[in-house]
Amino acid sequence: MDGQSPILLIVLGVAIVGLFWMNSRAKKQQQQKLSFRDSLVPGQEVQTIGGLVGTVTHVEGDLITIATTPGTELRFVRAAIAKLVEPTEADEEFEDDDADDTDDGETAAPEQSEGTPSATASGDRPTGFLSDDDLKKPYRDGEKP
């Protein structure tokens, strides 16, 4: 047993040093996240821990307001913000394409194929969908509802 004592002490020493090292890394990462969340300002594009991407529009205490689409603003607690979203080359090309488009007042109607359901002029249910009565009918082999 006398020969195993130094080996056991070395293993325990390595384990303790490893635990302190991992703990210090976790604290450092936590501190970085806190400083990132404290430095949020309107105009930054961020991603939440749930995966929602939007632009910060307002920072008020512990609440961050994010605009996802024009006219849609959502409020999150500061801890729900995961990271900044860096603009990609595709985003920059998309913005350039939008800047080149000019609106001459005419809006093209979307094209519809034969199989695509379309709304009726009276505002009823779009054509191509089953009615409530059709859904209540029993389905038999070979018959279409």
Side-chain angles (χ1 to χ4, degrees), residues 6-7 20 72 78 100:
I7 294 173
F20 278 117
T72 304
R78 195 177 289 270
D100 293 341

Side-chain angles (χ1 to χ4, degrees), residues 2-75:
D2 202 18
Q4 291 181 350
S5 260
I7 294 173
L8 183 62
L9 289 175
I10 291 172
V11 170
L12 284 174
V14 168
I16 291 172
V17 168
L19 286 173
F20 278 117
W21 180 71
M22 288 190 314
N23 191 22
S24 68
R25 284 189 57 193
K27 283 184 180 180
K28 186 177 181 179
Q29 288 177 347
Q30 185 179 15
Q31 193 66 15
Q32 287 175 342
K33 285 182 182 178
L34 285 174
S35 66
F36 152 70
R37 291 177 181 147
D38 287 339
S39 66
L40 289 173
V41 294
Q44 292 177 314
E45 190 169 13
V46 295
Q47 179 179 345
T48 66
I49 57 175
L52 182 90
V53 177
T55 305
V56 176
T57 58
H58 190 68
V59 178
E60 180 182 327
D62 200 30
L63 294 176
I64 308 292
T65 305
I66 298 175
T68 55
T69 57
T72 304
E73 290 189 341
L74 304 169
R75 294 173 67 186

Side-chain angles (χ1 to χ4, degrees), residues 75-93:
R75 294 173 67 186
F76 290 91
V77 293
R78 195 177 289 270
I81 308 301
K83 64 179 184 177
L84 281 176
V85 177
E86 300 297 327
T88 61
E89 290 181 19
D91 292 338
E92 292 170 2
E93 289 176 10

Side-chain angles (χ1 to χ4, degrees), residues 93-142:
E93 289 176 10
F94 181 72
E95 289 174 4
D96 290 342
D97 289 345
D98 286 346
D100 293 341
D101 293 343
T102 56
D103 189 16
D104 56 355
E106 295 181 22
T107 306
E111 295 181 18
Q112 292 183 351
S113 64
E114 277 184 35
T116 305
S118 61
T120 60
S122 65
D124 293 336
R125 181 180 291 200
T127 59
F129 288 97
L130 296 175
S131 70
D132 292 336
D133 294 332
D134 290 336
L135 293 174
K136 293 176 185 174
K137 292 179 185 176
Y139 180 76
R140 296 186 202 129
D141 290 338

